[in-house]
Amino acid sequence: MTSRTQKTVYRKNYTPPSFLANTVDLTFDLDPSQTRVTAKTELIHNPQSKSTDIVLYGEDLELVGILLNGRKLAAGEYALENGLLRITKAPEVTRLEIETLICPDKNTTLMGLYLSNGNFFTQCEAEGFRKITYFPDRPDVMAKYTVTLKANKKQFPVLLSNGNLVEEGALPRGRHYAKWEDPFNKPSYLFAIVAGKLVCQEETFTLASGRKVLLQVWVEKGNLDKTAHAMESLKHSIRWDEERYGLELDLDRFMIVAVGDFNMGAMENKGLNIFNTRYVLANPRIATDVDYANIESVVGHEYFHNWTGNRVTCRDWFQLSLKEGLTVFRDQEFSADRIGTKDGRAVKRIEDVRTLRQHQFPEDAGAMAHPVRPDSYEEINNFYTVTIYEKGAEVVRMYQTLLGREGFRKGMDLYFQRHDGQAVTCSDFLAAMADANKQDLTQFENWYSQAGTPRVKLRTRYNKKAQSLSLTLSQSCPPTPEQAKKRPFLIPFAFGLLDAKGKSMVVNSHDVTVRKKLADAPSGTALVQLTRKSQTITLTGVPEKPVISALRNFSAPVILEYDQSDEELALLLSADPDAFNRWDAGQRLALRHLLRLTHAVQHKEALELPSTLVEAYRSVLANDSLDPAFQALALTLPSEIMIAEEMKEIDPQAIVQARHFMLQTLSHSLQDEWLKTYQTIRIPAPYSPEPDNAGKRSLRNLALSYLMEGDDKKLMQLAVTQYDNADNMTDRMAALTALTHAGNLTSKKMAERCLRHFYREFRLEALVIDKWFALQATSPENGAPEMRKLADHPAFTLKNPNRARSLVFGFCMNNMAQFHATDGSGYDFWAENILELDRINPQIAARLSRALTQYNRFKPELKKRARKTLKHIASRKLSRDTGEIINKILAT
C-alpha cells in the first residue's frame, strides 16, 4: 500500500508533463472487497519537456504488475515511493499496462472508487483517479478513454461510464460487461464509472440543430418519482446554453446519476454527471421551494461545465476558478433568466451577493484568504472555496459589466475558438476577452492574483451655485501575509442619482471614464472605471443635492464605505429604480442599527430601535407593487455573520441578543401588518415551485416567523395549524422552523410535538431527516449537550456527508449563540467531531475546521478558549486536508 507525504505545491514551479497520454483503455473487474483494474495507456513524450522520466501518481493501491511495451518490468526497473511511480529513460512512445487492486468497501473518503448503499461510484476531482490506478493524474494530461466494466449481473445490473455505450453482453458465471467510449479528450479528473441496482427516467431530446440525444436520470429504486424536476432542469439548461452562447450538447447521451454518499454537490464528469441526491431528488412532499431552485441551478451548473470545464479545462489546479468561477456565473445567469418575475433577476442577484458577503467576505478576512488564482497549496481539496467559486463568478461578471453582453459573448466565442480541447489558464481567458473587444485589460489581472476584499470609499461634494457634483472614489485592500502591498484593481463602479422625491436624475459628465449606457441597468445608471488609488469625477447640470445610489447591482465585489443618513437610506429603499440597491439600502440601514444595538448590549445600555427603520420596513411590507420574493428578502435582517464582519472584536452573544431584540421589536411594531400579510396571501393549489408562487410563500412564511417572535399562544397556533395542514414541504418546514426557533416555552412545547410527528412521517426519507437534524442543530435553544444526544440518535452517522453537515456543520456554522458558548462546550463538540471525521473522511473534516478561521477576532475569553481547542486538534495526527486548515488558523 502507498500513501502521500505532505508538501507545498507552488504555481511558480509549474512544469509541463514529461509524457502526454494519447489513449487510455481501462478494464474494471468489479468486486466490493477487491476490484482489479487494468490500465493500458499509450504515452507520448512531450516535446515541451526535457525529462524522459514517466511520473505516475497512486494512492492506496496494491500494485500487481507493470508491462512496458509488452515486457514485464522487474522491481528494479521502476521506483515506487510516497505515492510516486517513476520509470526512467522511457521510450518516446510507451505503451504501459498496469494492474492494480483496490478495496472500494473500505474507502470511506468517498474519493476514487467507493461503495454507497451497495453500488459503485467514483469521484476523481481533484486527485481521486490516483486511488484507481497509477497515472499522470494532472489536468493538463488529456486522452481518449475506452472503459470496459465487468461485474455480477444480478448484483450490478447497470454499468455506466463516460461517453457512448458501444458494446455489452454476457460473461460466464452470471457476469456481464459493458464497453464505453468517450470520443473527446479529457483529463483523468473527469473520468467516472457507476455500477449497481439503479433505475432511470429517460427522454429523447431534440437539439437546436435537429439532432436527437438521449437524456437519463439514474436513481436507486424507489426514487423514480422524484426525478421529474431534475430532468426538466436538464432540458432547460441545454436549451439556454444553445440560445445564450450557441453551445450544443456534443454527445449522443447525457446522464445524471444520484448518490446519497457524496462529498460535493455534484461532479461534471464528461457525459456522466454524478450528483449528491439533495440536488436531484424532489417532489412536493420532500422538497422545499429552495430545494427545487437549487436543483435547477446545480443541474445547470454541471451541464454548463460540458463546455466551460470539459471541452476547455484548466492547465493546473491553480487555475480552478477558470472553470468554476466561469460556470458559477453561467448558472447564476441561467437561474436569473429562469425566474421570469418582475424583480426576478434582482432577486437572484440579491441571493448571490448575500452568499458572497456571508461566506466569501469572511473567508477573505480570515486565515484561509487566498487569491482567485492561488499561488500555493498543500491539499488542493481545501481550495474548493467560495473565493474560487463565488468570487470567481463576480470576476467573470465584471467582464460582462465592462464589455457588455455582446462584448462578453464575443470574448466567449474567441475563447472556445482558440482553446477547444485544451488545458489553459485564467490569463488565457482574460486574453480572449481583451482581444475580442480590443481592450487593454492588463490591470484586470490583479483580481486573479491578489487576496482580500477591496474597500471603496466614496466622498461627494455638491456645489449648489455651479450645480455640479464631485465624486471622489478611492480604493484600498488589506495586506495579507503573502502580499503586504496591493496594486490598484480595475473596479467597475456603477451609480445613479435620485432627487429628494426619489426620482432619477440625469448623469452629465465630460469625463471620459464615465459611461452612461449600461446594459441590464435602469435608466440613469452610469459606470466609472476606478483604476487608480483615488480619482475624482465631476458631474454637471445637477439642479439639487442628490441622493447617491452607489455600486448599483453590486457592480464589483467590494466593500463600499459611504456614510448616508437613515433618511437617505430609507429613500433608496423605497424609490431606487435599481432593485438590488433598494434591498442593499435596507440592509445597510438595519446593519447600522444592529451594530448600535450590539454596542448597547455590551455596555448594558437601554435597547431602542428608531422609528425610521420601523417605518421603512412598514412601507416595504405595504407596497403591493413589489415582487413578493423581493419583499421577503428586503424584510429579512442581515445575518449574525454579517454583523460580526463589521466588528473589530466579535462578541457572539451580544450579536445574537441585539438581533433578537430587533426581530422582536419589528414583530411587535408591525404585528398587524405581519398578520394581514399572512392571512391575505393566497397561493393556488396544487403546489407548484414556479417562482411566482414560491415568492408568495417566502413572504407569507417570513410573516409567520416574525409573528412567532412574541409569546402569544393564539399566534403560535397559526404555525401549528400550518404544519398540520401543509400539502408541501416548504410550508411544513417554515412552520416547524418558526416554532423551533421562536425561543419561548409555548413554542417549545408545540415544536416538540411537531418534531416527533415529522420524524415518524419522514423517517424513510434521508434528505428530509437531514432537515430534521439541521432544524434542531440551528435552534438557539440547543447547545452542545443537545447535539451529543442527537449524535447518538440511531439515524445519525458521520460517515454520510449530508448527515454530518446537517447536524455538526449546522451547529458549528449556523448556531452562533450556542457554538460560541462561554463555557467552551461548543468548541469541544467541534473538536471531537473534527478528529473523528478526519479518520473517516478528511475532506469533510477539513471543511468543518473552517468554523474558527476568525477566532483571533473574538473577545478575549472566547479567543483564549478557541486557541486552546485548536492546539488540542493540532497536537493529534491529522490528515493533510485538516492539518493544512488547522495550522493556517493557528498561524494568524
Side-chain angles (χ1 to χ4, degrees):
M1 306 292 280
T2 60
S3 61
R4 296 181 290 180
T5 57
Q6 187 164 328
K7 65 177 183 178
T8 301
V9 182
Y10 294 94
R11 182 169 62 90
K12 65 183 180 181
N13 292 340
Y14 170 84
T15 55
S18 55
F19 279 76
L20 301 172
N22 186 26
T23 60
V24 181
D25 191 326
L26 292 166
T27 300
F28 287 79
D29 197 340
L30 294 168
D31 180 86
S33 60
Q34 191 176 74
T35 289
R36 188 175 297 269
V37 182
T38 303
K40 298 178 181 179
T41 307
E42 183 180 87
L43 295 164
I44 301 173
H45 183 255
N46 184 0
Q48 295 182 15
S49 174
K50 295 180 181 179
S51 173
T52 58
D53 292 357
I54 294 175
V55 178
L56 310 174
Y57 302 91
E59 184 177 355
D60 298 332
L61 303 173
E62 180 181 337
L63 179 61
V64 177
I66 307 175
L67 296 178
L68 189 155
N69 291 341
R71 183 177 65 84
K72 185 174 182 179
L73 294 184
E77 295 183 275
Y78 61 87
L80 178 56
E81 186 178 4
N82 295 327
L84 285 179
L85 194 160
R86 185 183 298 272
I87 302 171
T88 59
K89 298 179 180 178
E92 285 280 325
V93 178
T94 301
R95 291 173 179 83
L96 278 183
E97 182 176 336
I98 298 178
E99 191 172 320
T100 56
L101 293 174
I102 54 179
C103 307
D105 61 351
K106 292 183 175 62
N107 184 3
T108 63
T109 67
L110 309 184
M111 292 293 291
L113 179 66
Y114 66 92
L115 286 177
S116 173
N117 200 24
N119 300 318
F120 285 102
F121 297 91
T122 55
Q123 171 58 32
C124 292
E125 187 178 358
E127 296 176 339
F129 193 77
R130 59 191 62 185
K131 294 170 77 74
I132 293 172
T133 187
Y134 288 99
F135 193 76
D137 181 21
R138 42 189 290 174
D140 54 355
V141 175
M142 304 172 72
K144 287 186 171 66
Y145 283 68
T146 300
V147 179
T148 302
L149 304 175
K150 301 176 182 179
N152 180 286
K153 187 171 185 178
K154 184 176 180 181
Q155 200 173 359
F156 306 105
V158 174
L159 304 174
L160 308 175
S161 190
N162 310 88
N164 299 314
L165 179 64
V166 295
E167 189 179 333
E168 58 183 337
L171 294 172
R173 299 187 300 278
R175 293 166 60 76
H176 71 138
Y177 76 94
K179 186 175 182 179
W180 294 79
E181 286 184 355
D182 188 344
F184 295 95
N185 283 345
K186 66 171 179 280
S188 54
Y189 83 85
L190 291 172
F191 168 80
I193 65 168
V194 172
K197 294 179 180 177
L198 301 171
V199 294
C200 80
Q201 176 189 350
E202 64 179 28
E203 292 188 28
T204 299
F205 184 77
T206 304
L207 303 177
S209 65
R211 185 165 61 89
K212 295 184 183 299
V213 295
L214 179 65
L215 307 181
Q216 296 177 318
V217 179
W218 292 89
V219 295
E220 292 182 358
K221 190 176 180 180
N223 286 328
L224 204 55
D225 65 324
K226 306 180 184 82
T227 60
H229 182 64
M231 178 62 82
E232 288 303 305
S233 299
L234 177 58
K235 292 189 291 186
H236 290 311
S237 302
I238 294 171
R239 189 65 75 216
W240 184 86
D241 218 16
E242 289 175 332
E243 294 173 353
R244 181 74 176 265
Y245 291 106
L247 300 174
E248 186 174 271
L249 176 59
D250 52 6
L251 293 168
D252 298 331
R253 162 192 317 232
F254 193 91
M255 297 170 281
I256 287 173
V257 182
V259 56
D261 296 295
F262 204 65
N263 286 340
M264 301 181 178
M267 178 60 210
E268 71 268 20
N269 316 295
K270 184 69 178 181
L272 180 60
N273 288 186
I274 299 179
F275 275 63
N276 190 315
T277 48
R278 67 185 296 190
Y279 295 116
V280 172
L281 305 182
N283 63 26
R285 183 172 180 269
I286 71 161
T288 65
D289 292 333
V290 172
D291 293 329
Y292 275 95
N294 286 342
I295 288 168
E296 184 172 68
S297 174
V298 175
V299 168
H301 180 96
E302 304 308 330
Y303 174 74
F304 301 145
H305 263 313
N306 189 55
W307 281 89
T308 52
N310 296 5
R311 287 286 287 261
V312 184
T313 195
C314 45
R315 185 195 70 178
D316 53 71
W317 292 120
F318 298 104
Q319 318 296 331
L320 181 58
S321 196
L322 173 77
K323 72 183 186 77
E324 295 300 347
L326 175 56
T327 306
V328 169
F329 167 74
R330 276 155 50 73
D331 82 53
Q332 289 175 350
E333 287 289 278
F334 165 67
S335 295
D337 286 345
R338 288 286 302 151
I339 292 176
T341 58
K342 175 176 172 286
D343 294 319
R345 289 192 63 83
V347 165
K348 176 58 179 166
R349 187 70 181 127
I350 290 165
E351 291 171 348
D352 294 336
V353 173
R354 191 167 60 174
T355 297
L356 189 81
R357 287 175 172 171
Q358 290 186 176
H359 301 290
Q360 197 279 321
F361 279 16
E363 181 169 274
D364 250 352
M368 286 303 295
H370 60 275
V372 168
R373 183 186 56 205
D375 292 317
S376 67
Y377 63 79
E378 292 176 13
E379 175 50 65
I380 185 56
N381 290 326
N382 287 334
F383 282 83
Y384 283 75
T385 64
V386 282
T387 297
I388 297 294
Y389 282 68
E390 275 70 27
K391 186 174 182 178
E394 292 298 317
V395 170
V396 174
R397 184 176 295 275
M398 284 189 287
Y399 285 113
Q400 181 166 282
T401 301
L402 290 164
L403 304 172
R405 275 203 183 194
E406 289 186 10
F408 184 80
R409 171 64 190 271
K410 285 166 61 179
M412 289 285 283
D413 289 347
L414 183 59
Y415 176 64
F416 293 123
Q417 179 185 325
R418 285 178 172 177
H419 302 299
D420 188 11
Q422 298 177 10
V424 298
T425 68
C426 296
S427 297
D428 291 320
F429 184 78
L430 185 150
M433 288 289 158
D435 294 348
N437 291 278
K438 297 180 173 56
Q439 295 283 323
D440 182 0
L441 295 176
T442 305
Q443 189 178 0
F444 198 82
E445 184 96 22
N446 292 339
W447 283 106
Y448 291 105
S449 60
Q450 297 183 155
T453 305
R455 306 181 81 93
V456 174
K457 287 185 179 180
L458 171 60
R459 299 292 179 265
T460 64
R461 188 175 64 185
Y462 179 66
N463 186 323
K464 185 177 181 179
K465 184 177 180 180
Q467 293 194 346
S468 66
L469 176 72
S470 294
L471 303 178
T472 299
L473 294 165
S474 57
Q475 61 168 297
S476 62
C477 190
T480 50
E482 293 78 17
Q483 296 170 323
K485 291 185 178 181
K486 303 293 177 68
R487 299 181 298 275
F489 293 86
L490 192 169
I491 299 175
F493 189 92
F495 71 95
L497 310 178
L498 273 65
D499 66 18
K501 294 182 180 179
K503 293 185 178 181
S504 293
M505 302 172 71
V506 177
V507 176
N508 294 308
S509 177
H510 299 295
D511 195 310
V512 294
T513 65
V514 178
R515 194 170 91 222
K516 297 178 187 177
K517 291 184 179 180
L518 197 62
D520 300 325
S523 176
T525 303
L527 184 78
V528 176
Q529 291 189 29
L530 175 59
T531 57
R532 301 191 300 273
K533 286 187 176 180
S534 181
Q535 60 194 71
T536 299
I537 62 168
T538 300
L539 308 181
T540 57
V542 185
E544 63 178 84
K545 184 178 181 180
V547 175
I548 312 296
S549 171
L551 201 65
R552 279 189 167 173
N553 203 40
F554 202 63
S555 56
V558 302
I559 295 171
L560 175 65
E561 296 180 359
Y562 179 43
D563 189 24
Q564 290 180 290
S565 68
D566 284 8
E567 291 71 22
E568 287 177 313
L569 291 174
L571 178 70
L572 291 168
L573 174 59
S574 66
D576 198 324
D578 185 282
F580 174 87
N581 268 26
R582 294 184 75 168
W583 168 80
D584 195 44
Q587 294 291 291
R588 290 166 60 198
L589 180 62
L591 187 57
R592 169 182 296 169
H593 292 292
L594 284 165
L595 290 167
R596 288 175 180 170
L597 288 169
T598 302
H599 182 272
V601 170
Q602 290 175 308
H603 294 83
K604 296 181 172 55
E605 298 170 356
L607 303 184
E608 295 180 339
L609 197 64
S611 59
T612 312
L613 188 138
V614 175
E615 293 309 312
Y617 273 49
R618 193 191 307 275
S619 68
V620 172
L621 192 53
N623 190 343
D624 294 336
S625 68
L626 294 174
D627 188 329
F630 174 82
Q631 287 176 289
L633 288 169
L635 296 167
T636 299
L637 296 185
S639 69
E640 293 160 347
I641 294 172
M642 291 183 67
I643 303 169
E645 276 306 292
E646 295 295 320
M647 299 178 68
K648 186 175 182 180
E649 184 179 278
I650 300 172
D651 185 342
Q653 306 304 325
I655 290 170
V656 171
Q657 190 175 335
R659 192 172 185 274
H660 184 56
F661 174 80
M662 185 178 285
L663 284 169
Q664 286 189 316
T665 304
L666 290 170
S667 171
H668 176 74
S669 301
L670 303 175
Q671 186 177 102
D672 292 344
E673 287 85 348
W674 293 125
L675 188 58
K676 180 183 176 183
T677 299
Y678 182 78
Q679 292 175 333
T680 57
I681 289 179
R682 294 287 179 265
I683 303 161
Y687 169 84
S688 168
E690 61 88 21
D692 186 55
N693 287 350
K696 291 175 182 176
R697 271 189 296 272
S698 66
L699 180 57
R700 187 172 186 265
N701 287 324
L702 179 71
L704 179 66
S705 70
Y706 270 106
L707 290 170
M708 294 301 104
E709 287 295 327
D711 196 7
D712 187 321
K713 192 171 183 179
K714 290 183 178 178
L715 292 177
M716 295 288 171
Q717 190 59 44
L718 290 174
V720 175
T721 301
Q722 176 169 310
Y723 175 86
D724 289 338
N725 297 336
D727 67 347
N728 63 84
M729 183 54 70
T730 303
D731 286 340
R732 193 183 293 270
M733 273 297 294
L736 191 52
T737 302
L739 287 170
T740 306
H741 290 198
N744 57 67
L745 190 60
T746 304
S747 67
K748 186 176 182 180
K749 290 179 179 178
M750 293 177 171
E752 286 174 352
R753 193 270 288 179
C754 293
L755 281 167
R756 287 194 297 271
H757 173 270
F758 191 86
Y759 184 81
R760 289 195 305 270
E761 181 72 14
F762 297 103
R763 64 189 182 280
L764 300 180
E765 297 286 357
L767 295 176
V768 183
I769 297 306
D770 288 339
K771 299 179 192 297
W772 183 79
F773 277 110
L775 195 58
Q776 296 172 85
T778 55
S779 170
E781 301 301 306
N782 292 337
E786 288 77 15
M787 295 305 104
R788 288 193 172 88
K789 289 179 184 177
L790 285 166
D792 288 335
H793 192 282
F796 183 76
T797 174
L798 280 177
K799 291 183 178 180
N800 177 265
N802 285 354
R803 194 56 47 87
R805 282 187 281 255
S806 68
L807 179 65
V808 184
F809 284 62
F811 176 74
C812 299
M813 305 289 200
N814 298 306
N815 192 336
M816 182 175 280
Q818 295 292 349
F819 176 56
H820 298 288
T822 53
D823 63 0
S825 58
Y827 299 162
D828 292 341
F829 177 76
W830 173 71
E832 293 162 14
N833 281 279
I834 285 176
L835 292 173
E836 188 172 351
L837 272 168
D838 199 46
R839 291 189 291 270
I840 301 168
N841 190 331
Q843 275 194 46
I844 302 302
R847 290 170 195 172
L848 179 60
S849 300
R850 295 171 182 267
L852 286 181
T853 53
Q854 297 206 58
Y855 87 96
N856 60 343
R857 288 178 54 209
F858 293 167
K859 62 182 184 179
E861 56 268 38
L862 282 181
K863 181 178 178 179
K864 184 178 179 180
R865 284 190 178 277
R867 187 166 183 82
K868 181 180 178 182
T869 307
L870 285 160
K871 285 186 172 181
H872 167 67
I873 296 172
S875 69
R876 302 297 190 90
K877 186 178 179 180
L878 298 174
S879 68
R880 189 161 99 175
D881 305 66
T882 305
E884 180 180 21
I885 303 293
I886 295 296
N887 290 330
K888 282 190 173 181
I889 296 172
L890 279 169
T892 58

